[in-house]
Every structure is written in C-alpha cells, then in structure tokens.
Amino acid sequence: MYKGLIDHYKEFLPVNDNTPALTLHEGNTPLIHLDTLSQELGIDLFAKYEGLNPTGSFKDRGMVMAVAKAIEEGSKCVICASTGNTSAAAAAYAARAGIQSLVVIPKGKVAAGKLAQAYMYGAKIIEIDGNFDEALQAVRDISETTDVALVNSVNPYRLEGQKTAAFEVCDQLGDAPDILAIPVGNAGNISAYWKGFKEYNAKKGTKLPKMFGFEAEGAAAIVQGAPIAKPETIATAIRIGNPASWALAEAARDESQGIIDSVTDEEILDAYRQIAAKEGVFAEPGSAASIAGVIKSVQNGKIAAGSRVVAVLTGNGLKDPDTAVNASTVDLISLPNDEDKIRAYIESVL
Ligand code: F0G
C-alpha cells in the first residue's frame, strides 16, 4: 500500500528513526498525456497533475517533510507566508500532526478555495495590507527570534520533499523528459525538481531534462533581472516580485541549458481554458503558466517538434472558482422549469 512520500522515497530523504511517519498520502500524482495539445503543438506533452495532492497542490510534498522535521525538532507551531497554497498545506499537515499553524497572507489576493482550506484546517490567519514578498520578509524575521518553525521554501526540507515529483516523473515515464516546464513564483519548485532530476541521474542513470521555467509577465523578476516592488498578475499563486530561491532557479536554468521566460495574463488564461476544455484537466491559473510557456516556446522555436515535454500543473482548478467563472466564455442558459422548453432548447442546439 502506498503510504505517502516519506515512506516511499525515504532512501532519498533526510529521515531517521526520530522522524514521525507523517502522511496524508501525498504524492503519487498522475502523469496525464495531453492528446489534443500534443497533436496541435507537434510535441509529446504530458501534465504532472499536482492538483490531485491531498490539499490540491504540490505544496503537500514539501510540507509533509517540513512539518515532520519541525516535530522531530520539538516545534509546537509552524508559520509561513503564502499566496494561498502553502498556507493550505501548512495548515493541513499541522492539523494532522496536532500542532498550531500561523499563516500570513496578502489581503484580498488569495483565491477563495485556498482561504477556505486555511479556515477549515484551523490555521490562525493573519492578512496584511502587503504582498507575498513583504509577508515572507516578516515571517523570516519573526521566526528568527520566536519559537515557531518557518515552513516556507527557504526551509531546506521543503525542497527535499518537493524533489520527489521529479522522481515520480522519471518512474512514470521510464526516464526524464527532454523538457520540464514549470511555473515560477518564489522559485522553490523549479529548484526542487532540478535537485531531484540530478539525484536520480546520479543514482539511477536517468537523463537530465532542460528546465523551462515561466513567470507571469507582471511578476517576472528573474526574467527582468531585478525585483519587482508591486507584482501583478491574475495568477495570484505566482504574484511574487522577489523570489527567495532566485539563485537556485538560475542555476537550474543554466546547468540544464534551459530557459526562464515570462507569459502574459492573456496567455495564461488562454492555456487555462485550453487544458480544461480540450483535455478535461482543470488546473488553477498559476499552474497554467507552464502550459502557456510550452505553447509560446513551440511558437518561438525554443521547443523543437517531437520533443517529449512534461508540464507541471501545480494546483487544482477548484482552488480558484472566481477566476474560472470570470474567465469562462460559456453562456449559462436560463430556462423556466418546463420540460417542453428544456427539450425545445436542447433540440435547437443538436
Ligand atoms: N503554482 C502554484 C499553484 C503555486 O501555489 C505556486 C507557489 C507556484 C506555482 C510557484 O512555485 O513558488 O516554488 O516557484 N505558491 C506559493 C504559496 C508561493 O504561497 O502557495 P514556487
């Protein structure tokens, strides 16, 4: 029986006899071949659907590890800044482990589903009139002088847990893909995947993919080469102007001979609709940045025809129902409660 990441990949993780066997059975997410988009783009495209983790995002991989280590080290409380998914994961694993979580979020900029999760898992939620970068600075400072364990991705155990997604991709495909496309926000995940691919390469001889990271254009600090004081994008998950793992992300890009590029909100929304409507895969807008980036890179020639590409869909579309409803181009048909009228409408569209 699959019992979660710490159990499944323990030989690759910093676990010992004192590390609690914390699990919500995270990981083991599907790698879905995107048939229609593959055909349209002339590549072999897969989605690593991280939205099927227990709290609906890839954050569970890092959080199970970070919370387990916090408990091993005697912590009674974890803290994080978040655009929403990290806070949901921190709150869930803290609840599971029976400790307190504290989350600091940018007011008005967290998707409804993510906020609902933090409430339900029992986090203490602090919203500030500031952005993610400012919230992260505050919790980093506070955790230095206060007895709380910081579980943002500057905590090295987060990347250890998250690197297991790269192992799964290799296990599922039989090898690494040519290209790994991934959204970039605080830049932890691209760094974690690259670490995972390098470790599997060293231990199992799988190849090394090119890492293709994609920031939202209004929050593209790495692409522009300077922090952005007031990042803006519809993809609130990656609305980050000063990524904490900036240097690691650049190393992943350079060592793998990949790229870090940006995609516009329009391109993100277009990809967001396409993966749902053409493939039946609903991911949140921030996740769709990876697909938007793949489409852009095929068009500008950075992805060659026939390439095998894995795009990471980092979070579930259900996290952000408001953007889905607003971005939808589908008309709702409102009819009287009358079977004849319903039949007449249906016959008119067949
Ligand atoms: N996709 C989603 C859905 C995210 O929630 C995040 C980050 C990313 C991509 C980017 O990953 O930061 O490792 O480069 N969300 C964080 C949060 C910042 O607080 O939930 P990254």
Coordinates of all heavy atoms in Angstrom, one line a residue, residues 57-59 81-87 114 132 152-153 158-159 162 182-190 236-238 240 284 286-287 313-316, ligand 1:
S57 N -2.5 20.8 -4.1 CA -1.3 21.4 -4.7 C -0.1 20.7 -4.4 O 0.0 19.8 -3.5 CB -1.1 22.9 -4.4 OG -0.4 23.0 -3.2
F58 N 1.0 21.0 -5.2 CA 2.3 20.3 -5.0 C 2.9 20.7 -3.6 O 3.9 20.0 -3.2 CB 3.3 20.8 -6.0 CG 3.8 22.2 -5.9 CD1 5.0 22.5 -5.3 CD2 3.0 23.2 -6.4 CE1 5.5 23.8 -5.2 CE2 3.5 24.6 -6.3 CZ 4.7 24.8 -5.7
K59 N 2.4 21.7 -2.9 CA 3.0 22.1 -1.7 C 3.0 21.0 -0.6 O 3.8 21.0 0.3 CB 2.2 23.3 -1.1 CG 2.1 24.5 -2.0 CD 3.5 25.2 -2.2 CE 3.3 26.4 -3.1 NZ 4.6 27.2 -3.3
A81 N 4.4 32.5 5.2 CA 3.8 33.5 4.3 C 3.2 32.7 3.1 O 3.8 31.7 2.8 CB 4.8 34.5 3.9
S82 N 2.2 33.2 2.5 CA 1.7 32.4 1.4 C 0.8 33.2 0.5 O 0.0 34.1 0.9 CB 0.9 31.2 1.9 OG 0.4 30.4 0.9
T83 N 0.8 32.8 -0.8 CA -0.2 33.3 -1.8 C -1.4 32.3 -1.7 O -2.3 32.5 -2.5 CB 0.4 33.4 -3.2 OG1 0.9 32.1 -3.6 CG2 1.5 34.4 -3.3
G84 N -1.4 31.4 -0.8 CA -2.6 30.5 -0.6 C -2.4 29.0 -0.5 O -2.9 28.4 0.4
N85 N -1.6 28.5 -1.4 CA -1.4 27.0 -1.4 C -0.5 26.6 -0.3 O -0.8 25.5 0.4 CB -0.9 26.5 -2.7 CG -2.0 26.5 -3.8 OD1 -3.1 26.1 -3.4 ND2 -1.6 26.8 -5.0
T86 N 0.6 27.3 0.0 CA 1.5 26.9 1.1 C 0.7 27.0 2.4 O 0.9 26.1 3.3 CB 2.7 27.9 1.1 OG1 3.4 27.7 -0.1 CG2 3.6 27.6 2.3
S87 N -0.1 28.0 2.6 CA -0.9 28.1 3.8 C -1.9 26.9 4.0 O -2.0 26.4 5.1 CB -1.6 29.5 3.9 OG -2.4 29.7 2.8
K114 N -8.5 28.4 -1.4 CA -7.3 28.3 -0.5 C -7.6 28.9 0.9 O -7.2 28.3 1.9 CB -6.2 29.0 -1.2 CG -5.9 28.5 -2.6 CD -4.8 29.3 -3.3 CE -4.6 28.9 -4.7 NZ -3.6 29.6 -5.5
F132 N 3.0 39.2 -1.0 CA 3.7 38.0 -0.5 C 5.1 38.3 -0.1 O 5.6 37.8 1.0 CB 3.7 36.9 -1.6 CG 4.6 35.7 -1.3 CD1 4.1 34.7 -0.5 CD2 5.9 35.7 -1.7 CE1 4.9 33.6 -0.1 CE2 6.7 34.6 -1.4 CZ 6.2 33.6 -0.6
N152 N 8.2 28.0 5.0 CA 8.3 28.5 3.6 C 9.4 27.7 2.9 O 10.2 27.0 3.6 CB 8.5 30.0 3.5 CG 7.2 30.7 3.6 OD1 6.9 31.3 4.7 ND2 6.4 30.7 2.6
S153 N 9.6 27.9 1.6 CA 10.5 27.0 0.9 C 12.0 27.4 1.1 O 12.9 26.8 0.6 CB 10.2 27.0 -0.6 OG 10.2 28.3 -1.2
R158 N 11.6 21.6 2.7 CA 10.6 21.8 1.7 C 11.0 21.3 0.3 O 10.4 20.6 -0.4 CB 10.1 23.3 1.6 CG 9.2 23.8 2.8 CD 7.8 23.4 2.5 NE 7.4 23.7 1.1 CZ 7.0 24.9 0.8 NH1 6.8 25.9 1.6 NH2 6.7 25.2 -0.5
L159 N 12.2 21.8 -0.1 CA 12.7 21.3 -1.4 C 13.0 19.8 -1.4 O 12.8 19.2 -2.4 CB 14.0 22.1 -1.7 CG 13.9 23.7 -1.8 CD1 15.0 24.3 -2.6 CD2 12.5 24.1 -2.4
Q162 N 9.7 18.3 -2.1 CA 9.3 18.6 -3.4 C 10.0 17.9 -4.6 O 9.5 17.7 -5.6 CB 9.2 20.1 -3.6 CG 8.1 20.8 -2.9 CD 8.0 22.3 -2.9 OE1 7.6 22.9 -1.9 NE2 8.5 22.9 -3.9
I182 N 7.6 24.5 -16.0 CA 7.1 24.7 -14.7 C 6.8 26.1 -14.4 O 7.6 27.0 -14.8 CB 8.1 24.0 -13.7 CG1 7.6 24.0 -12.2 CG2 9.5 24.7 -13.8 CD1 8.4 23.1 -11.3
P183 N 5.7 26.5 -13.7 CA 5.5 27.9 -13.3 C 6.6 28.3 -12.2 O 7.0 27.4 -11.4 CB 4.1 27.9 -12.6 CG 3.6 26.5 -12.8 CD 4.7 25.6 -13.2
V184 N 7.0 29.5 -12.3 CA 7.9 30.0 -11.3 C 7.3 31.2 -10.5 O 6.9 32.2 -11.1 CB 9.2 30.5 -12.0 CG1 10.2 31.1 -11.0 CG2 9.9 29.3 -12.6
G185 N 7.3 31.1 -9.2 CA 6.8 32.1 -8.3 C 7.9 32.5 -7.4 O 8.7 33.4 -7.7
N186 N 8.0 31.8 -6.2 CA 9.1 32.0 -5.3 C 10.3 31.2 -5.7 O 11.3 31.3 -5.0 CB 8.6 31.7 -3.9 CG 9.3 32.5 -2.8 OD1 9.7 33.6 -3.1 ND2 9.4 31.9 -1.6
A187 N 10.2 30.4 -6.7 CA 11.3 29.7 -7.4 C 11.8 28.5 -6.6 O 12.8 27.9 -6.9 CB 12.4 30.6 -7.7
G188 N 11.0 28.0 -5.6 CA 11.4 26.8 -4.9 C 11.2 25.6 -5.7 O 12.1 24.7 -5.7
N189 N 10.1 25.5 -6.4 CA 9.8 24.2 -7.0 C 10.7 23.9 -8.2 O 11.1 22.7 -8.3 CB 8.3 24.3 -7.5 CG 7.6 22.9 -7.5 OD1 8.1 22.0 -6.7 ND2 6.6 22.7 -8.3
I190 N 11.0 24.9 -9.0 CA 11.9 24.6 -10.1 C 13.3 24.1 -9.6 O 13.9 23.2 -10.1 CB 12.1 25.8 -11.0 CG1 12.9 25.5 -12.3 CG2 12.7 27.0 -10.3 CD1 13.0 26.6 -13.4
T236 N -2.7 34.6 -9.0 CA -2.3 35.1 -7.7 C -1.3 34.2 -7.0 O -0.5 34.6 -6.2 CB -3.5 35.3 -6.8 OG1 -4.3 34.1 -6.8 CG2 -4.4 36.5 -7.3
A237 N -1.3 32.9 -7.4 CA -0.3 32.0 -6.8 C 1.1 32.4 -7.0 O 2.0 32.2 -6.2 CB -0.6 30.6 -7.3
I238 N 1.4 33.0 -8.2 CA 2.7 33.3 -8.5 C 2.9 34.9 -8.6 O 3.8 35.4 -9.4 CB 3.2 32.6 -9.8 CG1 2.2 32.9 -11.0 CG2 3.4 31.1 -9.6 CD1 2.7 32.3 -12.3
I240 N 4.6 37.2 -7.2 CA 5.7 37.3 -6.4 C 6.8 38.1 -7.1 O 7.1 37.8 -8.2 CB 6.3 35.9 -6.0 CG1 5.2 35.2 -5.2 CG2 7.6 35.9 -5.3 CD1 5.5 33.7 -4.9
E284 N -5.3 25.4 -11.7 CA -5.5 26.8 -11.4 C -4.7 27.7 -12.3 O -3.8 27.2 -13.0 CB -5.2 27.1 -9.9 CG -3.8 26.9 -9.5 CD -3.5 27.4 -8.1 OE1 -3.5 28.6 -7.9 OE2 -3.4 26.6 -7.2
G286 N -2.3 29.9 -12.0 CA -0.8 29.9 -11.8 C -0.2 28.7 -12.5 O 0.9 28.7 -13.0
S287 N -0.9 27.5 -12.4 CA -0.4 26.3 -13.0 C -0.4 26.4 -14.5 O 0.5 25.8 -15.1 CB -1.3 25.1 -12.6 OG -1.4 25.0 -11.2
L313 N 1.4 20.9 -13.6 CA 0.2 21.6 -13.2 C 0.2 21.6 -11.7 O -0.3 20.6 -11.1 CB -1.0 20.9 -13.8 CG -1.0 21.0 -15.4 CD1 -2.3 20.4 -15.9 CD2 -1.0 22.5 -15.9
T314 N 0.6 22.7 -11.1 CA 0.9 22.7 -9.7 C -0.2 22.7 -8.7 O -0.1 22.3 -7.6 CB 1.8 24.0 -9.4 OG1 1.1 25.1 -10.1 CG2 3.2 23.9 -10.0
G315 N -1.4 23.2 -9.2 CA -2.5 23.3 -8.3 C -3.9 23.0 -9.0 O -4.0 23.2 -10.2
N316 N -4.9 22.6 -8.2 CA -6.2 22.2 -8.7 C -7.0 23.5 -9.1 O -7.0 24.5 -8.4 CB -6.9 21.4 -7.6 CG -8.1 20.6 -8.1 OD1 -9.0 21.2 -8.7 ND2 -8.0 19.3 -8.0
Ligands
F0G1 N1 1.9 27.2 -8.8 C1 1.1 27.3 -7.7 C2 -0.3 26.8 -7.8 C3 1.6 27.9 -6.5 O1 0.8 28.0 -5.5 C4 3.0 28.4 -6.5 C5 3.5 29.0 -5.3 C6 3.7 28.2 -7.7 C7 3.2 27.6 -8.8 C8 5.2 28.6 -7.7 O2 6.0 27.8 -7.0 O3 7.0 29.4 -5.5 O4 8.0 27.2 -5.8 O5 8.1 28.9 -7.6 N2 2.8 29.3 -4.3 C9 3.4 29.8 -3.0 C10 2.3 29.8 -2.0 C11 4.2 31.0 -3.1 O6 2.4 30.6 -1.0 O7 1.4 29.0 -2.0 P1 7.4 28.3 -6.4

